[in-house]
């Protein structure tokens, strides 16, 4: 039984080695959970001194003695520093806890910093192992610092609130959800310009929105987006232009949409997009290469306004055709706005270059070098098709007489 | 008691050794050479192992229960075989040490930056040492248990990353032509050769009946295709998610994928769990090279036993401590792969097989 | 070699021949080799107050002095009175057969034509006679004759056949083994009425002379395993064998492994089932526990209830048990690793609540978990041997009052109480007490590794444990089969899942050498 003997020796050896391993090791990298201050949001602004950034860090801290989980203290610091690590050093000095990066959800980029370029300061967030590339990027008009210092009505930290908004994004599909990883991938394509959604606070009474207790805090919303060239902000898109971008990028999952203000017919519709796909076709019209967007959406009509009489079945079918056309027009209008903006800016934030490369890489190689010039008047056509699935629980309208 | 492993164990053990931790650096490697089409080069690169594997097995059927070094001695004579054996020991020993260094690098880089790298070396080596001392049968069983876990973890990791797929990152296919694909294949081929080096030593423990030889051959096919396809999927997934530029930039892309995994918006960043599984595959690979060194020492210098295992461990540790810097480690692994393992194995096996065929044909022996 | 090293070696390395404790100075063997005579037996045994000597005379051709010797309490006195004393002294007094008796032929004559009864036999050695007396038989000595008659009239108080407490089933037979070997073998025989059931008798223990039966099914059990079992059992040399634990430690392959390598059961139906799978049972007199070898790891997570319930539910509950075992091993160490090293896994909200719960707790998570686990172990150990009503109180005081107070006093965090609670409950899902002990033992090193090195430590610990398990063999069968070496059929038939009986067409594979043919477990 030679095996048995060596087995025993093995066991002894392993045990002693384990003991060695244990006694050798101290407590490197070990932090008790209550010593951590989870970092939820980071804001980037330009510092007063040239070459510095004003880095705002929103740390959450469980309330001492708080029995429920959600009670957190807001500890937000803004530090002027020339590197992210320097800023964290300062936070270490002030706070008696270790900022924990693994929970970072949102990076808020202030307008000035965005215009000046922010890739250098962002490098820390994609390099250091605790961060994850699934964090969200948002732009803010004005300063990121003041935005993160906002007091919200529901008591949440602004960064946490943005994260919750973002996660609900696809139910609305009015703004792009941009994660760090996506942003870096888009940068990697070189031809496409990144786009980042814009978050803003709404004061009660402004923009047609009112709410109670305006003094106790504010509300925030995400609307519109900023177009970047590389890492520099060039211009903001309006709400409609962003919606157009969402259609063209095949990003629409569900949308709430209405046709008020479109067309001449007195009847207007409101509805929800159930499903939408956008396809890209590169067409060769006698030598001119053209990109065609084909948007197909199926919509459920939830609202019919301005209907004056009870409709027969045949009339109702006709009305639904009208609805399809109106919705198509509405979508088309949004898309055209977005395309128009793109031509004005001369920046390929719609990724047209990539679409051409994917579908006609031979042609792409010829235009790749002059793409900046070509993009301004590259021929593009648009084809929107809408199908109405149903019109809810009733046909006709309640006020027929 | 003669240790033996079954054809099924040979298949699994081979797959596990061939796989190793290739799935961590492979995407960055092949995409760096072949760009967007890098994923296509993976499978052909691995398939190189099949002809070589079959050559080795045909040598086995001619010289049962002898490893490649002993066969070399029969064919080339004592002194040439000794030189080959020495090269074999040096290469596999050095590479095993480098792999140990990689284990430390992976952990320190991605999850536990503050822990001294030596602890990872020690922990990894401890397992390797225990495994090697328990013998090849236990090693085969270990891979039988761990390898399915690795496959499942890989598939989980990729499957859970599907929501992060970007649109159309894979297209256009073959826009740069076929040229770069060749370069990618050459990058992958050393992985196949590492596998060949291992089964070259493993031959002693393989069954040699006619039926089982057939099973061993299918074992090689299966192992290569299983690992090739899995690795191809890994590369494909990374290109789909990160795009080619980012894929090249990320040292261990799969770990980053692990960090991005979110399970129903609550449990996130499970890469440290996945890393536990990857540690298993690292241990298998390092043990494989540890075994090759012990076999080499036993065949060439007749040195074996606990004492020499300890000596090898110390050498492994020393090599690992020589490469605490990640970047130089990568360069060194690439160098050993491309300029030592690939030429040595390919030339050795082909010559051995060719001469053995020739001798058989000429009626010598 | 220094003496301390020698001592350690003696304590750690099991000798090749399984012998412990030298025979005492008192030369027991000498007595046993003396020539047989009633007088000497009386000399040897007369100091034991429980041995009775009934002397009487037989009137044949000569007047023969006789002595009936038996141990009071072990022997059925009614049988002795009726079959021996009444026959010889009353019924047959003056019978013509009796008249021919002389000292020379008395033994053969009485055996052949005078005494009725199945269990009479002749002995001619001192040792045999004394053993028979002490085992509960009665021995009749005839004058100066060199031979004696043994009457198997054993009859002592039994504890009766009860359902075993540790292995109760809801749907299935409710009988359990007793402390008496013969009753146990008879219960087994009643389950398997086939000539291929072999029961091989052995005696172990130099002084206790304990009966032991090795049971197996011929042609099903691998001959290698059977002969290995017989070899190891017959090598046992010790003074006394008082319980199955003695045998277990003497014959198992790796004595320094925390994992049980020999299964046991108290139920005849389980034993019969295992024998039909080709295993070997070791039945020891004096204990209701029967050892079953070879054992594999997964066997300790299966219970016989699985075979009586419907296959689908059995599969579910097996799965539950496997998960329970994993939780019992890993829960505390994963908690420690996650909260001290890998906080990024925790969802932010949960992170906040853990953090809030740990506010003011003076200990680091590792120490907290260790303390809690030790307290849990103490509670379990304390409750184990107490009478049932007090045991419950321990549970209430320990778990409810102390736990609650500890949380309120900020000595431990609430989540830690939950984790330890889950661990304790999960470990009760492991049906075999031996395995659950092993699990409790492995928990501690894993916790320490987790506290020092996070998931890396846990992985290293788990892999080391795995390698250990993989290197174990129980009587030649790899401990981790059918996972490794992989046996797909065994895996799908009766390991992770329990196939319906009609699907178990072939017997389970234990060893490569003895591939079972057909007509397996499911048949009959």
């Amino acid at each position: 039984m030679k095996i048995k003997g060596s087995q025993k020796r093995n066991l002894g050896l392993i045990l002693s080695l384990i003991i060695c391993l244990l006694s050798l090791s101290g407590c490197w990298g070990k932090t008790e959970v209550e010593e951590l201050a989870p970092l939820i949001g980071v804001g980037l602004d330009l510092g007063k001194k040239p070459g510095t950034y004003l880095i705002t860090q929103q740390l959450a801290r469980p309330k001492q003695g708080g029995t429920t989980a959600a009670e957190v203290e807001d500890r937000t610091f803004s530090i002027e520093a020339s590197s992210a690590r320097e800023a964290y050093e300062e936070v270490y000095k002030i706070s008696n806890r270790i900022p924990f990066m693994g929970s970072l959800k949102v990076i808020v980029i202030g307008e000035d910093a965005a215009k000046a370029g922010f890739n250098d300061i962002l490098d820390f967030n994609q390099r250091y192992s605790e961060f994850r590339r699934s964090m969200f990027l948002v732009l803010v008009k004005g300063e990121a610092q003041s935005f993160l210092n906002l007091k919200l009505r529901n008591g949440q930290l602004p960064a946490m609130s943005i994260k919750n908004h973002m996660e609900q994004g696809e139910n609305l599909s009015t703004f792009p959800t941009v994660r760090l990883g996506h942003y870096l991938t888009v940068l990697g394509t070189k031809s496409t310009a990144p786009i980042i959604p814009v978050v803003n606070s709404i004061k009660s009474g402004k923009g047609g929105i009112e709410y109670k207790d305006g003094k106790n805090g504010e509300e925030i919303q995400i609307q519109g987006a900023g177009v970047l060239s590389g890492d520099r902000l060039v211009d903001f898109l309006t709400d409609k232009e962003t919606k157009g971008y969402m259609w063209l990028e095949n990003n629409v999952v569900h949308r709430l949409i209405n046709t008020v203000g479109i067309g001449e017919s007195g009847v207007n519709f409101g509805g929800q997009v159930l499903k939408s796909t956008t396809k890209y076709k590169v067409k060769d019209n006698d030598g001119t290469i053209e990109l065609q967007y084909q948007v197909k959406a199926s919509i459920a009509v939830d609202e019919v306004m301005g209907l004056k009489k009870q409709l027969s079945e045949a009339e109702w079918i006709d009305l639904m055709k009208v609805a399809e056309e109106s919705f198509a027009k509405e979508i088309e209008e949004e898309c055209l706005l977005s395309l128009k903006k793109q031509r004005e800016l001369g920046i390929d934030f719609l990724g047209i270059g990539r679409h051409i490369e994917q579908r006609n890489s031979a042609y792409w190689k010829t235009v790749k070098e002059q793409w900046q010039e070509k993009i301004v008047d590259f021929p593009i056509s648009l084809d929107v098709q809408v199908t109405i699935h149903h019109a809810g629980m009733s046909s006709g309208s309640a006020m027929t007489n | 008691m003669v240790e033996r492993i079954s054809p099924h164990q040979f298949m699994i053990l081979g797959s596990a050794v061939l796989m190793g931790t290739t799935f961590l650096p492979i995407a960055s490697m092949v995409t760096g050479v072949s760009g967007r089409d890098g994923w296509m080069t993976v499978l052909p690169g691995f398939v190189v192992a099949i002809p070589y594997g079959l050559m080795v097995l045909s040598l086995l059927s001619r010289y049962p229960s002898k490893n490649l070094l002993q066969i070399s001695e029969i064919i080339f004579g004592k002194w040439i075989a000794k030189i080959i054996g020495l090269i074999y020991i040096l290469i596999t020993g050095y590479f095993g040490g480098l792999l140990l260094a990689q284990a430390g690098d992976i952990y320190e880089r991605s999850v536990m930056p503050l822990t001294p790298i030596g602890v990872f070396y020690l922990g990894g080596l401890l397992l390797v040492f225990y495994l090697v001392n328990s013998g090849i049968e236990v090693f085969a069983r270990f891979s039988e248990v761990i390898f399915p876990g690795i496959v499942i973890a890989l598939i989980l990791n990729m499957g859970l990353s599907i929501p992060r797929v970007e649109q159309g990152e894979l297209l256009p296919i073959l826009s740069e032509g076929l040229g770069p694909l060749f370069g990618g294949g050459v990058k992958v081929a050393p992985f196949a050769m590492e596998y060949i080096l291992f089964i070259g030593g493993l031959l002693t423990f393989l069954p040699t009946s006619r039926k089982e030889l057939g099973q061993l051959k299918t074992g090689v096919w299966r192992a290569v295709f299983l690992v090739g396809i899995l690795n191809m999927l890994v590369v494909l997934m990374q290109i789909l998610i990160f795009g080619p530029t980012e894929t090249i930039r990320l040292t261990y892309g799969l770990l980053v994928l692990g960090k991005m995994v979110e399970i129903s918006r609550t449990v996130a960043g499970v890469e440290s769990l996945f890393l536990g599984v990857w540690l298993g595959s690292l241990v298998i690979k390092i043990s494989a090279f540890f075994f090759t060194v012990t076999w080499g020492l036993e065949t060439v210098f007749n040195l074996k036993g606990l004492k020499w295992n300890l000596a090898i461990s110390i050498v492994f540790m020393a090599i690992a401590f020589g490469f605490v810097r990640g970047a130089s480690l990568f360069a060194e692994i690439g160098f050993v792969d491309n300029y030592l393992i690939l030429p040595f194995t390919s030339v050795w096996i082909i010559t051995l097989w060719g001469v053995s065929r020739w001798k058989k044909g000429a009626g010598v022996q | 070699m220094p003496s301390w090293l020698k001592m350690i070696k003696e304590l750690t390395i099991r000798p090749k021949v399984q012998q412990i404790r030298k025979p005492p100075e008192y030369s027991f063997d000498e007595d046993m080799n003396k020539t047989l005579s009633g007088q000497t037996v009386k000399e040897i045994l007369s100091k034991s107050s429980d041995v009775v000597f009934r002397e009487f005379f037989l009137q044949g051709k000569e007047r023969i002095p006789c002595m009936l010797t038996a141990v009071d309490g072990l022997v059925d006195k009614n049988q002795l009175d009726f079959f021996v004393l009444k026959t010889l002294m009353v019924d047959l007094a003056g019978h013509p057969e009796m008249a021919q008796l002389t000292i020379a032929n008395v033994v053969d004559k009485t055996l052949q034509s005078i005494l009725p009864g199945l269990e009479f036999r002749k002995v001619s050695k001192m040792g045999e006679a004394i053993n028979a007396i002490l085992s509960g038989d009665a021995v009749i000595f005839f004058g100066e004759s060199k031979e004696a008659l043994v009457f198997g009239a054993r009859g002592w108080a039994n504890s009766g056949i009860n359902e075993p407490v540790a292995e109760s089933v809801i749907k299935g037979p409710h009988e359990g083994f007793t402390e008496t070997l013969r009753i146990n073998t008879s219960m087994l025989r009643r389950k398997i009425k086939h000539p291929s059931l072999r029961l091989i008798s052995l005696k172990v223990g130099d002084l206790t002379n304990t009966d032991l039966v090795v049971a197996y099914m011929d042609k099903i059990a691998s001959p290698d395993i059977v002969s290995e079992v017989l070899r190891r059992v017959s090598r046992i040399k010790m003074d006394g064998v008082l319980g199955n634990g003695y045998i277990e430690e003497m014959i198992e392959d790796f004595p320094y492994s925390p994992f049980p390598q020999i299964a046991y059961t108290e139920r005849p139906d389980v034993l019969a089932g295992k024998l039909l799978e080709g295993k070997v049972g070791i039945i020891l007199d004096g204990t209701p526990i029967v050892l079953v070898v070879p054992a594999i790891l997964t066997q300790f997570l299966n219970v016989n209830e699985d075979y009586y319930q419907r296959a689908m539910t059995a599969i579910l509950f097996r799965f539950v048990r496997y998960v329970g075992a994993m939780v019992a091993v890993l829960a505390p160490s994963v908690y420690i690793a996650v909260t001290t090293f890998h906080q990024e896994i925790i969802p932010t909200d949960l992170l906040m609540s853990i953090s809030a719960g740990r506010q003011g707790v003076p200990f680091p998570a590792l120490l907290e978990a260790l303390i809690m686990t030790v307290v849990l172990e103490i509670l379990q150990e304390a409750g184990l041997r107490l009478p049932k009503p007090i045991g419950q109180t321990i549970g209430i005081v320990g778990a409810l009052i102390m736990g609650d107070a500890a949380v309120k006093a900020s000595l431990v965090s609430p989540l830690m109480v939950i984790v330890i609670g889950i661990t304790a409950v999960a470990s009760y899902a492991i049906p075999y007490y031996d395995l659950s002990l092993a699990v409790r033992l492995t928990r501690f090193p894993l916790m320490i590794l987790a506290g020092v090195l996070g998931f890396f430590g846990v992985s290293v610990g788990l892999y080391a444990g795995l390698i250990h398990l993989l290197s174990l063999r129980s009587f030649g069968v790899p401990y981790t089969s059918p996972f490794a070496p992989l046996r797909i059929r065994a895996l799908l038939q009766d390991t992770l899942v329990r196939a319906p009986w009609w699907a178990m067409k072939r017997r389970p594979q234990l060893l490569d050498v003895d591939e079972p043919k057909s007509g397996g477990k499911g048949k009959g």
Side-chain angles (χ1 to χ4, degrees), chain B residues 67-141:
Chain B
N67 64 31
L68 280 192
L69 295 175
Q70 289 160 326
I71 297 173
S72 303
E73 194 172 324
I74 295 170
I75 290 177
F76 298 138
K78 193 176 170 193
W79 287 106
I80 298 179
K82 283 245 189 276
I83 293 167
I84 292 176
L86 195 63
I87 300 173
Y88 181 82
I89 294 167
L90 288 178
I91 289 181
T92 52
Y94 189 50
F95 197 70
L98 290 180
L99 286 174
L100 187 64
Q102 199 186 20
D105 185 58
I106 289 172
Y107 262 95
E108 183 154 281
R109 197 185 277 263
S110 56
V111 280
M112 296 166 79
L114 298 179
T115 312
I117 202 159
V119 178
F120 301 122
Y121 295 163
L122 197 64
L125 195 63
L126 190 89
L127 292 176
V128 170
F129 185 74
Y130 190 13
L131 206 49
V132 171
N133 262 3
S134 307
I136 190 83
E137 277 183 4
V138 172
F139 184 40
R141 283 185 223 148

Side-chain angles (χ1 to χ4, degrees), chain B residues 10 49-68 71 75 196 199-200 203 206-210 212-218 220-221 348-358 360:
Chain B
F10 170 75
I50 292 179
Y52 279 93
L54 295 183
M55 275 188 242
V56 172
L57 287 180
S58 86
L59 286 169
L60 169 71
S61 64
R62 244 164 89 60
Y63 307 97
S65 298
K66 293 239 179 330
N67 64 31
L68 280 192
I71 297 173
I75 290 177
I196 296 298
I199 61 171
L203 291 183
L206 294 182
T208 47
S209 80
R210 206 183 173 73
E212 283 161 323
L213 264 174
Q215 288 173 330
L216 291 180
K217 277 178 191 157
T218 37
V220 172
W221 281 89
W348 179 35
I349 304 288
I350 286 186
T351 330
L352 200 60
W353 184 74
V355 173
S356 137
R357 289 290 292 204
W358 172 76
K360 193 180 166 193

Side-chain angles (χ1 to χ4, degrees), chain A residues 287-302:
Chain A
T288 15
I289 303 287
E290 182 197 76
L291 178 71
Q292 189 187 35
Y293 284 102
Q294 294 177 334
V295 181
K296 273 191 189 156
S298 53
I299 295 178
V301 173
D302 301 327

Side-chain angles (χ1 to χ4, degrees), chain A residues 129 132-133 182 188 354 365, chain B residues 133 166 168 175 245-246 259 269:
Chain A
S129 64
R132 43 203 76 244
R133 293 160 76 95
H182 174 77
R354 274 290 297 152
K365 274 179 196 154
Chain B
N133 262 3
E166 302 274 341
S175 62
T245 333
E246 284 291 294
K259 274 185 201 289

Side-chain angles (χ1 to χ4, degrees), chain C residues 82-115:
Chain C
F82 188 79
F83 287 109
V84 181
L85 297 176
K86 186 162 173 272
T87 311
L88 293 178
M89 293 162 74
V90 182
D91 295 349
L92 294 182
H95 193 273
E97 288 276 345
M98 290 287 269
Q100 299 169 18
L101 291 181
T102 60
I103 279 286
N105 70 0
V106 63
V107 176
D108 291 319
K109 265 259 185 287
T110 36
L111 182 63
Q112 281 156 15
S113 48
I114 295 179
L115 284 177

Side-chain angles (χ1 to χ4, degrees), chain A residues 72-137:
Chain A
V72 286
E73 253 175 77
D74 175 8
R75 285 171 74 84
T76 306
F77 303 94
S78 296
I79 287 145
E80 194 170 301
S82 47
S83 78
R85 268 305 188 198
E86 190 185 329
Y88 286 101
E89 185 192 332
E90 294 301 322
V91 174
Y92 266 106
K93 281 183 195 163
I94 303 166
S95 159
N96 56 350
R97 291 174 181 230
I98 305 155
F100 173 61
M101 329 277 183
S103 55
L104 180 60
K105 296 290 184 301
V106 183
I107 297 180
V108 183
I109 302 158
E111 200 175 343
D112 289 345
K115 279 184 177 147
F118 53 88
N119 261 8
D120 285 344
I121 201 77
L122 211 60
D123 188 65
F124 177 60
N125 299 71
Q126 57 97 11
R127 189 174 300 280
Y128 187 57
S129 64
E130 272 185 15
F131 291 111
R132 43 203 76 244
R133 293 160 76 95
S134 49
M135 64 177 83
F136 297 107
L137 296 185

